[in-house]
């Protein structure tokens, strides 16, 4: 059984959503503006979009690019960040490069990338990759730097080579920090995905959104915003569950399994 | 005015002399300088020479900051000395190896592993079969008094419990030399006594070489064949005292033994003297 407090805690995000939609509904009814549909109108437009095969293919294509960009970025950034955190030379080599790339909005690079690689999947995936990489590198770097030296010494005394120590000590020890970076990266992947499709309008969720905007189909625009937002919330929630499970050992309060929810 | 002997001639061997066949660790005129932000060059160890015989139990006693840990790290191969050489079995130490098992003052457990996972880590790395490593590890965990905590994470243990896991983790891969840095420092008197006895039993059975850092004079005399007394700023060896007490040692017998009591009193007095010297200089 869940206690009332636990029920409230679980219901809080749902209540927040309902509250937000209610405010939206009230504001739209008050303003009576053509470009500001009510929440109910927007929600009604959602089944139309999700029922449309074309739109569905577009959204799935977006998700695929996002998954690719995110996946490649994580596979590339974690080893790089860990190496930077453990080797002064590697850090000194990559730091200036990353410092230059860091503040540049990745979407601003799109025109150049489009020029070189066209407006297809590669360009968009590359922009997502760039967006995700930096926070993951940064957090992996910080995590690796903070690994207690005596832990590595203990490993060395047991006969672990330096590569083994990186994989079997630095990686798990830095995992909480790495996953924090990945969580930021996941949200950034969604943002860059939509932005990239806004700039290179060819397919994808962002394309549907901005086409509808061009054509004045405002309930579709808002419906897409809801869909993209819901995608973000779901992905983040799923990721958070995985993260919490992987780094249970590091949580400050180790909660005992009181319920199996 | 007392003259404090800076060296004992009996154990400081000139480099030219032949080394005894049974020496396992030879530290030859080792100095360690640290570059610190506050003080530019800090001499942590000054001209340390020490020989440890195979199977000997040697304790290092000294005030905080005199370089005991640093000396242990040099023998462990984790730190290379600024000058001088440290040798293990005649070979210059160039890095860590499974022949020397450290138990760090800071425990340095793997927080993502359970107690069992931590203790099994070394044997598994050495290629011991999982079932065998687990069985050995479980009995070691029981020996250090942590039966029932096998599946706890380090985060869930007290300081003393972590220290016992660290000890078990190192014992698990059977290093020839144990490098123990105040391994019982965080324990209550009762557990401390128990673990001293256990360590002594293991040692009397396996005759591992032990280099043991401690703050406790009782502990050093009770456990050791030799007590190395260090002084501070710069870290030097003041004196080495052979503890000539019969083995196997039983705590209750030894505490009543006047020879034991004399060692303890003498060493404590030497410490007080060094404090006076330190204060007046
Ligand atoms: N990495 C380092 N960088 C700079 N100085 C250091 C470093 N490690 C140790 N020192 C200095 O060397 C001296 C000896 O340190 P060490 O840790 O070996 O002392 P200790 O005898 O083990 O002390 P304690 O009993 O408190 O553990 C100290 O003065 C310390 O400040
Ligand atoms: Mg120390």
């Amino acid at each position: 059984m869940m206690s009332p407090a636990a029920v409230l805690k679980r219901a809080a995000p749902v209540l927040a959503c309902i509250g937000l939609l209610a405010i939206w509904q009230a504001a739209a009814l008050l303003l009576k503006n053509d470009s500001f549909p009510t929440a109910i109108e927007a929600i009604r437009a959602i089944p139309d979009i999700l029922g449309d095969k074309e739109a569905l293919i577009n959204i799935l294509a977006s998700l695929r690019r996002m998954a690719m960009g995110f996946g490649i970025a994580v596979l590339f950034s974690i080893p790089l960040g860990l190496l930077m955190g453990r080797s002064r030379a590697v850090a000194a080599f990559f730091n200036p490069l990353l410092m230059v790339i860091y503040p540049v909005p990745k979407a601003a690079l799109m025109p150049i990338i489009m020029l070189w690689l066209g407006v297809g999947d590669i360009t968009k995936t590359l922009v997502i990759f760039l967006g995700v990489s930096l926070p993951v590198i940064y957090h992996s770097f910080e995590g690796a730097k903070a690994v207690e030296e005596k832990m590595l010494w203990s490993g060395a005394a047991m006969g672990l080579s330096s590569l083994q120590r990186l994989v079997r000590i630095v990686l798990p020890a830095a995992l909480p920090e790495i996953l924090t970076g990945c969580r930021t990266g996941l949200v950034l992947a969604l943002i860059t995905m939509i932005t990239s499709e806004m700039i290179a309008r060819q397919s994808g969720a962002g394309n549907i959104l901005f086409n509808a905007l061009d054509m004045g189909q405002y309930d579709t625009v808002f419906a897409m915003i809801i869909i993209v937002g819901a995608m973000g919330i779901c992905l983040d929630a799923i990721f958070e569950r995985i993260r919490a499970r992987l780094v249970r050992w590091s949580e400050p309060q180790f909660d005992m399994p009181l319920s199996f929810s | 005015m007392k003259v404090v002997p800076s060296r004992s001639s009996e154990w400081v061997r000139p480099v030219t002399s032949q080394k005894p066949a049974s020496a396992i660790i030879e530290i030859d005129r080792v100095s360690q300088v640290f570059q610190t932000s506050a003080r530019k060059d800090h001499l942590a160890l000054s001209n340390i020479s020490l020989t440890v015989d195979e199977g000997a139990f040697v304790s290092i006693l000294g005030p905080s900051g005199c370089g005991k840990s640093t000396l242990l790290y040099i023998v462990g191969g984790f730190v290379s000395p600024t000058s001088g050489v440290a040798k293990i079995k005649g070979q210059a130490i160039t890095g860590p190896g499974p022949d020397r098992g450290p138990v760090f003052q800071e425990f340095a457990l793997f927080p993502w592993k359970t107690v069992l996972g931590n203790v099994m880590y070394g044997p598994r790395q050495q290629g011991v079969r999982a079932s065998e490593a687990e069985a050995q590890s479980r009995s070691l965990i029981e020996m250090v008094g942590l039966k029932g905590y096998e599946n706890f994470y380090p985060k869930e243990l007290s300081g003393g419990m972590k220290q016992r896991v660290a000890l078990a983790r190192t014992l698990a891969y059977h290093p020839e030399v144990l490098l123990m840095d105040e391994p019982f420092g965080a324990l209550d008197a009762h557990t401390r006594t128990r673990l001293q006895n256990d360590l002594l039993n293991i040692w009397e059975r396996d005759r591992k070489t032990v280099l043991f850092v401690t703050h406790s004079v009782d502990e050093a005399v009770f456990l050791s064949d030799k007590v190395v007394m260090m002084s501070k700023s710069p870290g030097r060896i003041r004196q080495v005292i052979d503890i000539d007490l019969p083995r196997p040692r039983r705590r209750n017998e030894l505490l009543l033994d006047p020879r034991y009591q004399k060692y303890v009193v003498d060493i404590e007095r030497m410490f007080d003297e060094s404090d006076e010297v330190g204060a007046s200089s």
Side-chain angles (χ1 to χ4, degrees):
Chain A
M1 277 316 289
M2 278 198 287
S3 67
V7 172
L8 198 70
K9 202 179 155 211
R10 308 208 109 212
V14 180
L15 290 176
C17 284
I18 292 171
L20 210 62
L21 289 174
I23 294 168
W24 173 2
Q25 182 74 14
L29 286 173
L30 275 173
L31 288 172
K32 284 197 174 30
N33 189 327
D34 272 353
S35 58
F36 190 20
T38 64
I40 291 171
E41 282 166 341
I43 290 169
R44 270 210 214 103
I46 294 174
D48 289 346
I49 299 172
L50 295 182
D52 181 35
K53 201 162 159 236
E54 185 88 0
L56 219 54
I57 290 171
N58 269 298
I59 293 172
L60 287 177
S62 291
L63 282 175
R64 201 193 60 231
R65 279 193 293 271
M66 183 182 150
M68 287 269 288
F70 179 77
I72 298 171
V74 163
L75 289 181
F76 165 83
S77 307
I78 294 176
L80 177 60
L82 294 182
L83 277 173
M84 284 174 64
R86 293 316 312 175
S87 157
R88 227 168 270 251
V90 177
F93 184 82
F94 284 100
N95 242 338
L97 188 68
L98 295 174
M99 261 166 63
V100 172
I101 299 176
Y102 176 62
V104 178
K106 303 313 161 282
L109 297 173
M110 266 207 75
I112 314 170
I113 301 172
M114 272 160 66
L115 215 60
W116 293 338
L117 300 173
V119 291
D121 276 6
I122 299 178
T123 298
K124 290 170 194 159
T125 310
L126 184 62
V127 175
I128 296 170
F129 168 86
L130 287 175
V132 175
S133 289
L134 285 157
V136 179
I137 293 175
Y138 176 74
H139 282 274
S140 307
F141 169 68
E142 289 292 327
K145 230 174 34 174
V147 174
E148 202 192 330
E149 193 152 45
K150 306 280 153 55
M151 222 143 79
L152 294 165
W153 288 4
S154 296
M158 290 174 191
L160 273 80
S161 67
S162 53
L163 181 66
Q164 284 177 317
R165 287 195 300 257
L166 194 71
V167 176
R168 294 183 47 199
I169 294 179
V170 179
L171 176 65
L175 198 62
E177 185 71 36
I178 292 172
L179 292 179
T180 305
C182 289
R183 194 177 172 192
T184 314
L186 191 65
V187 175
L188 278 173
L190 189 74
I191 295 170
T192 17
M193 173 193 95
I194 298 293
T195 324
S196 72
E197 289 162 358
M198 184 179 101
I199 299 168
R201 298 250 298 263
Q202 189 200 34
S203 75
N207 186 41
I208 301 175
L209 202 161
F210 290 98
N211 275 345
L213 190 68
D214 285 351
M215 290 187 284
Q217 299 166 339
Y218 294 112
D219 40 0
T220 307
V221 171
F222 279 83
M224 272 315 288
I225 292 173
I226 295 176
I227 291 172
V228 172
M231 265 165 24
I233 293 169
C234 287
L235 284 173
D236 187 57
I238 293 168
F239 187 84
E240 177 52 23
R241 290 212 117 190
I242 297 171
R243 191 198 66 82
R245 176 152 288 236
L246 283 175
V247 300
R248 229 160 22 128
W249 53 266
S250 79
E251 301 296 285
Q253 270 162 341
F254 199 95
D255 37 39
M256 296 295 164
L258 292 174
S259 72
F260 293 99
S261 55
Chain B
M1 173 113 184
K2 289 205 172 71
V3 179
V4 179
S6 63
R7 284 177 159 195
S8 152
S9 54
E10 180 244 326
W11 49 272
V12 180
R13 293 164 216 283
V15 246
T16 46
S17 85
Q18 83 294 3
K19 59 176 188 255
S22 60
I24 187 164
I25 299 168
E26 294 159 279
I27 301 168
D28 184 17
R29 287 173 298 176
V30 157
S31 295
Q32 181 68 48
V33 179
F34 285 117
Q35 255 92 36
T36 54
S37 37
R39 305 156 294 178
K40 268 160 278 157
D41 275 0
H42 175 60
L43 187 58
L45 290 175
S46 168
N47 208 24
I48 301 277
S49 293
L50 177 66
T51 307
V52 177
D53 288 345
E54 187 155 6
F57 199 121
V58 175
S59 288
I60 302 174
L61 264 174
S64 185
C66 71
K68 304 183 294 294
S69 296
T70 307
L71 187 60
L72 230 53
Y73 300 159
I74 288 171
V75 176
F78 310 116
V79 168
S80 46
T82 315
S83 67
V85 278
K87 289 185 187 168
I88 175 114
K89 287 181 277 183
Q91 299 281 309
I93 293 168
T94 53
D99 53 345
R100 284 151 289 146
V103 182
F104 292 113
Q105 214 170 346
E106 303 88 344
F107 324 130
L109 299 175
F110 303 135
W112 63 94
K113 290 269 179 200
T114 60
V115 169
L116 183 63
N118 267 282
V119 179
M120 279 176 67
Y121 205 96
R124 289 296 288 145
Q125 175 65 25
Q126 244 109 84
V128 177
R129 280 214 330 275
S131 55
E132 201 176 316
E134 185 177 334
Q136 288 176 6
S137 300
R138 282 185 187 280
S139 70
L140 266 172
I141 291 167
E142 189 173 351
M143 190 207 84
V144 297
L146 287 176
K147 195 174 168 56
Y149 291 94
E150 287 85 351
N151 296 321
F152 278 55
Y153 285 97
K155 198 118 222 173
E156 303 164 286
L157 304 176
S158 73
M161 289 158 98
K162 283 183 204 163
Q163 203 159 45
R164 285 181 272 164
V165 179
L167 176 61
R169 181 179 67 170
T170 301
L171 290 175
Y173 58 92
H174 306 298
E176 286 168 63
V177 179
L178 280 171
L179 304 171
M180 309 178 82
D181 200 349
E182 297 180 37
F184 305 147
L187 302 179
D188 61 282
H190 175 73
T191 317
R192 192 182 177 108
T193 309
R194 248 214 27 243
L195 279 181
Q196 285 171 356
N197 289 330
D198 286 336
L199 180 63
L200 215 51
N201 287 338
I202 295 171
W203 180 81
E204 276 161 4
R205 195 185 61 211
D206 301 352
R207 284 287 162 158
K208 283 181 196 304
T209 309
V210 181
L211 209 51
F212 187 97
V213 169
T214 176
H215 276 134
S216 157
V217 176
D218 297 319
E219 184 170 80
V221 175
F222 175 53
L223 296 171
S224 316
D225 297 320
K226 244 179 203 180
V227 175
V228 177
M229 289 183 64
M230 291 183 66
S231 60
K232 202 181 159 177
S233 309
R236 299 178 188 281
I237 293 181
R238 268 191 67 205
Q239 192 149 17
V240 176
I241 296 132
D242 285 302
I243 307 295
D244 205 359
L245 292 170
R247 292 190 189 265
R249 292 179 189 167
R250 297 285 161 257
R251 191 178 185 80
N252 43 6
E253 295 165 16
L254 211 62
L255 287 177
L256 297 172
D257 190 326
R259 288 172 299 175
Y260 167 85
Q261 292 160 355
K262 184 165 175 356
Y263 279 122
V264 172
V265 171
D266 283 353
I267 292 172
E268 272 172 356
R269 200 185 47 231
M270 271 186 257
F271 260 115
D272 293 343
E273 282 167 15
S274 83
D275 282 352
E276 281 160 31
V277 169
S280 64
S281 64

